[in-house]
Every structure is written in C-alpha cells, then in structure tokens.
Amino acid sequence: MIELKNITLRLKSFSLQNIDLKINDNEYFVLLGPTGSGKSMIMDIIAGSIIPDEGRIIINGRDITYLPPEKRKVGYVTQDYSLFDHMKVIDNITFGLRVRKVSEKDAMDIIKPLVDKFNLNELLDKYPYVLSGGEKQKVAIVRALAINPDILLLDEPLVSLDPNIRSRFMVELKNIHEEMKFTTLHVTHSMDEAEYLADHLGIIKSGRIIQVGKFDEISRNPVSDFVASFIGLENIISDDEINKILNVDKGKRIAFRPVDVEISDNGIEMDIEGMQKLYSGIRIMGKVNNSKITVILNSVSEIKNGKIKIKIKRFSVIQD
Amino acid sequence: MHIRKHIKKKDMRYSRYFKSMIWIISLIFIIFILSPILRILSLVSISEIFTQVLTPENISSIEITLYAAAISTLIVLFFGFPLAYLLSRFNFPGKKILDAIVEIPIMIPHSVVGIGLLFVFAESEPGGILFNYFGISFGYNLIAVIFAYVFVSGTYAIKTMEEAIKALPPRLEIVARTLGASQFQVMFRIVIPRIARSILTGGILSWARAISEVGAILIVAPYIIPGYESIAGVDVYNQFEVTGLPGAVGISALLIVISLLIFIVLKIIQGQENIFFVPRERK
C-alpha cells in the first residue's frame, strides 16, 4: 500500500497542500486534474526528485520520504518516456537489472514475460529513435516494471499518442493491468482515461486533492462545480423550478452530462440557440428557464418553433 | 512535403538581387579567411616539404605542440566536465558570476595571461612554492606550455558541454535513478554517453584553440629547456624575426597542413553514425 500523508510543498508561485492519498496494492489509481494542478509534482515527490517540506511517503510500511530515488522501488514513466536513446531497447529494458548486477541470463528470464505481454520481441534490437510513440511508451513501462517496483508511476502516459492509437493503448493497458495487477498511479487531465482505467480516482486542483472515490461515486456526488464539470457533467444549473420537477432540495445545484437527456412531451422546454452536427447525434446549445445547457440528441425532428421538450434522465446533485 | 521540397529547391522565397548580396558579402569573408592559408601553401612545393620543411627542428616543434595540446585537452575535459555539469544542473547563488568567470579567458589579451600565470606559478610566487614542494618547476618547460593552453582553451570545451547537458532532460537522470542507478552510474552510463558527441566537439575546439596559442607561450615558455625547442607557433614567430617572411613559410605551411589533417579526421569521426558506440542523436 502506498500512502502519502499530509504532503506539503511550498514553491514561489505554487504549493501542494496537505496531500493525503492511499493507494491499495494491485490498484489502478488515477489522479485527475487540469494542467498546472500539481499532478506531476506529486509524481516527482514519490519518485524522489523533490523532497516535500512536510509529510511522509510510506510504501508497504516503509518510510521512503528521504530515501534517494534508487532505493525507493518506484517505477517512473514520464510523459516523454525518457528512454535512453544511446541504448537498444533490450538494454533500456534491462538497465535497472544491470545496474543491480543481475546476470545477463537472469535478466533475460525476468524480462521475458513482460516483453511477451507487451509484444516487444521484434523491437529488442532496435534503438528507441526508430520506434513509434506507442512502442516507446511500452518500452518505458516494461523498463519500469522490470525492476518489480512497489508502485508504477505513469505521468500522462497517453497524451502524446495519436487519438486512434490512444484508445487502443488504453484498452491494452487495462487488460494487462487486470492480468498482472501492478499497483499503479496514473496522472492525467483526461476524464476518458480516468473513467475507463481507474479503480479509484482522485481529483486535484491548485495543489489540493478535492475528492477521492470510484468514478461512479464521484460522478453521483460531486463535491463542487469544478469536480462535476471536470468529470464530464457539463451542465450545471441552479434552478428551483427544475429542482422541483426532479425532486431535489431547493437551492441545490444539479449537474448532468449532455447525453443524459431524452425528448419527452411532458419535459422541460428548452430554447435552442445553436446546433452542431456530431459524428453520432446532434449537439444542441440552448437555455432552460435562464440556465444555459448543452444536450446531445439523436434527432432534431421534434423541434418546434426553435424549442424542444427534454427530460433529464440522470443527474447528480452537487454536494457543497 | 512534396511541394515544400520543390519550393526549397527553387528558392522562390528570395529574389536574385537579395541572394546575390548575401552571397557576395559572405564570400568576401570566406576569401579573407582562406587567402593567407592558401598563399602560404602556394609558396611551398612538395619537394621542398621533404627537403626544407621536414627538418628535425620543425618536426620536433610540431611534436611538442601536438603533445602539449593533447595533454591540455585531456586536462580541460577532466576538470571541465564537472564544471559544465555544475553550471547546467545545480542552482546556487553566484551561478551567473561563475558562468562569467568561465568566459573570461576569451576576453583577456593572451600576453597578459602569460604574465598572470608567471605571477602565480613562478618560483617565488605562492603557486610556484607549492609546486616546488612537489619538485615541479614552472617556466621554460612543457608544464608552462600546458598550463597556458589549458587557460586559453578551457572555455570552449566547458561551454560546449554545458549546452549539451542543459539540453538533456533532467527527468532522464531521475528515471535512471528510480531504476536503481547511483548518481555516478547515471553520470557514466547516461549523461556522458548521451553528450559524447559534444564532449568530442568541445575537445576538438579546445585542442585547436590550444595549438593556435602564441601570446601566452612567448611569456611563459618562449623556448623549452633542455633542447631550446619552441612550440610551433613560437617557432614561426622566431623564424620570421630572424629571416623574414621566406624563412617562416616552411614551418607555417607544415603547421597548417597538420592542423587541417587532424581537424578533418576528427570531423569525420564526429560525423560518424556511432561515436564510442553511441548512435547519433535524433529528434
């Protein structure tokens, strides 16, 4: 189990404040937050390139707060992969074993299952600069896993991949994790990755973790507008009339995704301000009462005089 | 891509007038650099090289020069690499000042360098007293030549390596350490191999700069006891003083040829796909 206890780091223009985080063994934990929220800094703190001002990092009961990076048993995969361009793929992968003086034969035995799992056999004799982004990413992950780390840190691992490769890689990553169960901390600003990959999820903003839970839990009970909009509940409205229809307490705000609506004759009237054809469906921007909302529908045949009647199928109540 | 290549070939972006101007001004400068070199070479025939230029005195002065420059380059790289690392990786107060100090040797007139070195290392001076204790003397010997070379040439190697280390992402070193490498292992297995090409380039620049040094040497070691030989640059000066232009031609030509040959060889090594088994950097 990895525990961050009250980690605080004060820098000139930014600070991490009282970061508490618990990642269970074999868990895939995703830390989700916008650029500049301090995600990568938390990675650097766990990897050991930054020492926090306060707080403790405990891995399996071992306090590693002040240990040098080489003594931490942390596998670190950075956004730009950080492959050693002057070494072949095989030498990249066995680097951690070679510096530990593991014999060449033992090293090969250790990496064999990983190389097979990630399909890297063809690439072992190549230099990193001829690899594609996805291949580089796999080499970086295998290199980190080869040392059998207590935790694997993945810093925005999918951000520099092409969109189609990205989805495929995400699936592959999930499948491999389900099989091998390495404890993982993955930081990203992408809700899709969080929703698909995370066992548990933490949401970070301006150096503070503001909500932790399973994706569904957070999405049902977001603690703030920020959390709601960041996990895709794009529409946030504060309208007692609508609350009454939905049986929500007066004064509360509700949030829902654009797809969580349907056309209904006895629904709420929405004034349409604009439409955008999507690959599947139509994105409609408009207003209900005085709140701006966006919905995605399959057809627009029900529009009459620039208005449409909609029913909110699923929504969350913001918990603040 | 196709079209862009085509445009580049045609150079449609520039007018003929503009391009001519740029060419003419550049060529004037190139001719200025090449003419003294080519003129000297034109004054020596191949038969003369063997009969008059390759004299034992000339050969030994060239030998001393190359040897001293090689030793000085090794010293510069040995001390220069940690200094370059310090300047590119560590943050500390006064870093800018330290950075400026590294560049000072480029600005100071080199005869002044010679005087300064004597004031530190001459027998009665503090550095000299310390050296004497170890049985080393300074002045009119190879040590003085090497010291002067190190002083005037170090900047080039240090700056080249500093830029290369700065361009290497620090995360690379952290990742290597999380994989279990110690700080020294990271240095020898990651940083040095990754900037090998820049180390070589810095070495070439420093070596070339050392060979061309005369001013400081005229002060600290105009000749080298016991044989009363001089380094090649000083030899040229001496022969010019004694016999005028014609006398200096031979040794000058030899110096040019040898310098260019070594320079070309090193440039070829530098251009290789692999240096010290390290492949070329790619973006």
Side-chain angles (χ1 to χ4, degrees):
Chain A
M1 188 168 69
I2 318 299
E3 279 178 281
L4 301 190
K5 288 186 174 171
N6 201 28
I7 295 285
T8 298
L9 178 72
R10 285 174 284 267
L11 301 175
K12 259 186 205 150
S13 54
F14 180 83
S15 59
L16 281 180
Q17 292 157 45
N18 312 97
I19 300 289
D20 279 304
L21 211 56
K22 225 179 244 184
I23 303 167
N24 292 316
D25 287 345
N26 309 332
E27 184 175 52
Y28 202 106
F29 191 100
V30 174
L31 195 55
L32 178 67
T35 310
S37 55
K39 303 174 302 237
S40 295
M41 205 173 281
I42 292 179
M43 296 299 229
D44 281 336
I45 286 175
I46 300 175
S49 69
I50 304 176
I51 304 288
D53 294 327
E54 285 165 38
R56 287 265 175 273
I57 310 161
I58 316 280
I59 296 187
N60 299 334
R62 194 166 64 108
D63 186 341
I64 64 155
T65 318
Y66 298 107
L67 287 184
E70 58 269 31
K71 302 242 160 78
R72 294 190 171 210
K73 288 195 82 186
V74 165
Y76 191 11
V77 178
T78 61
Q79 212 176 99
D80 54 359
Y81 325 117
S82 297
L83 294 182
F84 308 139
D85 280 348
H86 59 291
M87 295 178 193
K88 289 179 175 174
V89 167
I90 177 77
D91 296 325
N92 264 278
I93 292 174
T94 54
F95 181 83
L97 300 167
R98 285 184 290 126
V99 295
R100 285 182 169 77
K101 309 258 184 283
V102 174
S103 76
E104 201 175 320
K105 190 190 165 300
D106 291 347
M108 292 310 285
D109 290 345
I110 292 169
I111 62 159
K112 181 88 177 53
L114 287 165
V115 168
D116 288 343
K117 191 79 65 196
F118 282 83
N119 250 326
L120 293 179
N121 279 302
E122 305 286 305
L123 307 178
L124 291 180
D125 273 332
K126 295 188 171 162
Y127 279 103
Y129 53 77
V130 302
L131 305 185
S132 70
E135 290 168 339
K136 283 183 186 173
Q137 188 61 266
K138 287 183 190 174
V139 173
I141 293 175
V142 169
R143 182 178 66 180
L145 289 175
I147 61 163
N148 190 25
D150 288 333
I151 183 166
L152 178 68
L153 304 176
L154 301 176
D155 189 0
E156 297 275 12
L158 307 168
V159 75
S160 28
L161 302 181
D162 293 339
N164 52 339
I165 296 172
R166 201 174 148 261
S167 326
R168 186 171 294 224
F169 195 89
M170 205 150 80
V171 173
E172 228 173 313
L173 197 57
K174 188 171 177 78
N175 291 344
I176 293 175
H177 180 263
E178 267 169 15
E179 221 173 296
M180 302 182 64
K181 293 284 179 201
F182 36 82
T183 311
T184 306
L185 172 59
H186 170 142
V187 307
T188 178
H189 62 267
S190 150
M191 180 206 57
D192 302 341
E193 290 172 28
E195 181 171 14
Y196 184 72
L197 291 165
D199 294 325
H200 277 94
L201 174 67
I203 299 197
I204 182 168
K205 185 194 176 193
S206 315
R208 281 173 185 278
I209 291 184
I210 47 182
Q211 193 166 10
V212 176
K214 295 200 168 183
F215 191 89
D216 288 344
E217 291 165 11
I218 294 178
S219 144
R220 268 200 306 276
N221 302 302
V223 295
S224 67
D225 293 6
F226 172 81
V227 172
S229 66
F230 209 71
I231 59 170
L233 302 166
E234 243 175 76
N235 299 302
I236 298 171
I237 54 179
S238 168
D239 187 323
D240 286 340
E241 220 169 288
I242 294 172
N243 283 8
K244 202 170 167 190
I245 300 168
L246 297 173
N247 248 335
V248 173
D249 290 349
K250 226 176 161 183
K252 288 277 183 193
R253 294 189 310 293
I254 63 152
F256 59 94
R257 295 184 183 218
V259 291
D260 285 339
V261 293
E262 62 188 6
I263 294 168
S264 161
D265 286 342
N266 45 15
I268 315 159
E269 200 168 65
M270 172 177 174
D271 290 318
I272 296 171
E273 292 174 336
M275 288 191 282
Q276 180 196 2
K277 180 103 182 65
L278 299 178
Y279 182 67
S280 58
I282 297 142
R283 193 177 180 88
I284 304 172
M285 282 72 75
K287 272 183 177 175
V288 285
N289 293 341
N290 277 322
S291 308
K292 279 185 188 279
I293 64 165
T294 301
V295 301
I296 294 173
L297 297 171
N298 291 326
S299 88
V300 286
S301 56
E302 307 288 327
I303 297 179
K304 282 173 195 133
N305 301 326
K307 291 179 196 297
I308 196 166
K309 286 191 166 179
I310 55 159
K311 185 176 148 196
I312 302 169
K313 287 186 291 188
R314 204 174 328 149
F315 62 91
S316 308
V317 180
I318 291 168
Q319 299 293 312
D320 56 0
Chain B
M1 193 63 203
H2 237 85
I3 294 170
R4 195 176 295 165
K5 232 183 207 171
H6 186 65
I7 290 173
K8 211 171 181 186
K9 236 178 220 167
K10 287 283 231 178
D11 257 350
M12 273 152 60
R13 287 165 296 172
Y14 303 115
S15 73
R16 189 169 291 185
Y17 171 73
F18 181 79
K19 260 170 59 178
S20 318
M21 287 295 293
I22 296 284
W23 265 107
I24 289 167
I25 295 172
S26 307
L27 284 179
I28 290 174
F29 191 77
I30 297 292
I31 290 166
F32 175 75
I33 292 171
L34 278 183
S35 49
I37 296 170
L38 295 177
R39 179 77 180 120
I40 287 173
L41 293 179
S42 75
L43 291 172
V44 186
S45 69
I46 297 204
S47 62
E48 274 174 329
I49 287 183
F50 288 103
T51 54
Q52 290 165 37
V53 179
L54 287 177
T55 60
E57 296 81 34
N58 282 351
I59 290 174
S60 100
S61 80
I62 297 269
E63 268 174 11
I64 293 171
T65 311
L66 297 181
Y67 175 71
I71 301 282
S72 116
T73 302
L74 291 178
I75 293 173
V76 160
L77 292 178
F78 178 80
F79 286 97
F81 178 77
L83 184 51
Y85 193 83
L86 178 84
L87 291 171
S88 43
R89 280 291 192 259
F90 297 176
N91 286 315
F92 52 90
K95 181 172 172 175
K96 287 216 170 101
I97 297 172
L98 207 62
D99 218 10
I101 291 173
V102 170
E103 289 177 31
I104 287 177
I106 299 179
M107 332 278 183
I108 300 183
H110 290 161
S111 47
V112 178
V113 172
I115 302 285
L117 286 174
L118 278 182
F119 266 121
V120 175
F121 295 109
E123 222 163 295
S124 55
E125 302 296 338
I129 293 166
L130 183 72
F131 271 28
N132 258 333
Y133 183 78
F134 295 104
I136 303 167
S137 71
F138 181 89
Y140 298 95
N141 59 12
L142 217 47
I143 290 176
V145 173
I146 291 169
F147 271 42
Y149 279 180
V150 168
F151 189 98
V152 299
S153 72
T155 311
Y156 300 91
I158 295 165
K159 282 283 148 190
T160 311
M161 291 188 286
E162 187 186 333
E163 290 312 312
I165 298 169
K166 273 185 185 157
L168 206 60
R171 283 238 163 89
L172 211 57
E173 294 177 42
I174 289 301
V175 167
R177 288 190 64 194
T178 60
L179 291 168
S182 69
Q183 291 162 81
F184 285 100
Q185 283 174 317
V186 170
M187 196 65 99
F188 286 106
R189 293 187 180 210
I190 308 293
V191 180
I192 291 177
R194 279 293 293 268
I195 67 157
R197 205 171 290 268
S198 299
I199 295 176
L200 189 64
T201 305
I204 294 173
L205 287 174
S206 281
W207 181 83
R209 177 64 195 85
I211 286 183
S212 64
E213 180 56 28
V214 172
I217 306 298
L218 276 174
I219 308 282
V220 296
Y223 53 85
I224 291 164
I225 298 169
Y228 292 90
E229 300 139 316
S230 303
I231 60 136
V234 173
D235 217 20
V236 172
Y237 178 75
N238 287 341
Q239 296 203 16
F240 172 68
E241 285 284 282
V242 176
T243 56
L245 275 178
V249 164
I251 177 80
S252 300
L254 190 59
L255 200 53
I256 288 172
V257 170
I258 289 175
S259 301
L260 285 182
L261 276 180
I262 296 179
F263 201 67
I264 289 167
V265 168
L266 286 173
K267 278 282 173 193
I268 290 171
I269 294 173
Q270 200 188 14
Q272 293 293 304
E273 193 61 26
N274 288 278
I275 291 189
F276 312 135
F277 308 103
V278 174
R280 184 179 279 282
E281 290 289 309
R282 266 158 231 254
K283 282 289 156 207

